[in-house]
Amino acid sequence: MRTNDLIAITADDDEFFRSALNTILTKQLGFSDVIETGSYDEALEQLAAHTDIALGLFDLKMPGMDSAGSLRTVREHFPGTRVAVVSSSKDRKDVLTGLDAGVHGYVPKDLSIVELSRALRMIMEGWVYVPPSITDISSDEDDPSGIWSERPARSVNEAVASLTPRQRQVLMLLVKGNSNKEIARALKLGEGTIKVHMAALYKNLGVNSRAEAAAIGARFL
């Protein structure tokens, strides 16, 4: 990954945190420039004006941002930009909503500088980053939305370990944000075959969506 000629954009109404991200991106990750914005609409305007933005970091609680689902618009209109949420919220529903919208990562604001740098580097290298807590379910009270209620009794580690080599390949590409068509092309298989492998993944991992499967894969692969 070469970042010394790349541009990032941050969208957060907390000026102090924007400044901190700017320092991390330029000093730790080597970005040449960081465009700072304080609202969702301002970020969209800047993305439209600059076609070479490689990374966009969005807070969830700022003017114009309804939810993590709002970032689906960013992903659809600016496919060349890696998009991540950087938020103080650790709510699993927010994380999964963001992943379902197609974001490339969900980064908690309370990470250390080293951890935050590592998370952003992973995102730029093509991986999807999620906080480790996304797979730590200890009781029904931790899962009020019921999103994870269909999980198998065995541990997540055991579920991932039980996948076939092909299923692991599919999951790895899913974590990297590839569509079924892209996965099929990469593995030289038909899309119908990929759909079969996806169904097996969902069953083995005890999930019901690509976002949930990607969350587990990003944490345990």
Side-chain angles (χ1 to χ4, degrees), residues 28-205:
Q28 299 293 325
L29 299 182
F31 276 78
S32 60
D33 189 24
V34 178
I35 300 171
E36 296 185 24
T37 65
S39 72
Y40 177 72
D41 291 335
E42 186 183 354
L44 290 182
E45 291 177 2
Q46 290 294 329
L47 283 163
H50 300 81
T51 60
D52 55 349
I53 293 177
L55 176 66
L57 304 178
F58 292 80
D59 185 28
L60 293 184
K61 298 185 182 299
M62 64 175 172
M65 177 70 80
D66 294 327
S67 71
S70 299
L71 296 177
R72 186 181 302 278
T73 297
V74 179
R75 289 289 293 115
E76 290 175 350
H77 287 83
F78 309 101
T81 301
R82 306 280 305 170
V83 177
V85 173
V86 181
S87 174
S88 58
S89 171
K90 294 182 181 178
D91 189 293
R92 290 180 180 83
K93 186 175 181 180
D94 285 339
V95 178
L96 293 175
T97 298
L99 291 173
D100 192 53
V103 302
H104 300 99
Y106 193 104
V107 184
K109 279 188 172 182
D110 62 358
L111 293 181
S112 68
I113 291 178
V114 172
E115 292 172 326
L116 182 54
S117 298
R118 175 177 173 273
L120 297 180
R121 192 180 300 279
M122 285 177 61
I123 291 167
M124 285 305 298
E125 289 176 345
W127 297 97
V128 174
Y129 178 88
V130 294
S133 60
I134 186 64
T135 53
D136 296 337
I137 303 296
S138 59
S139 70
D140 291 339
E141 292 180 358
D142 293 324
D143 188 25
S145 66
I147 291 175
W148 295 84
S149 60
E150 299 299 321
R151 291 175 59 77
R154 59 186 173 175
S155 72
V156 178
N157 271 320
E158 290 174 333
V160 173
S162 73
L163 299 178
T164 66
R166 181 65 80 189
Q167 289 169 357
R168 291 178 69 88
Q169 287 179 316
V170 171
L171 182 57
M172 181 98 52
L173 291 169
L174 176 62
V175 169
K176 299 190 78 168
N178 290 318
S179 65
N180 281 2
K181 181 179 292 186
E182 291 168 333
I183 294 173
R185 187 182 304 120
L187 298 180
K188 297 181 172 57
L189 297 171
E191 284 190 62
T193 303
I194 297 303
K195 290 180 179 179
V196 172
H197 285 307
M198 291 293 294
L201 271 177
Y202 289 2
K203 180 178 180 181
N204 289 339
L205 297 178

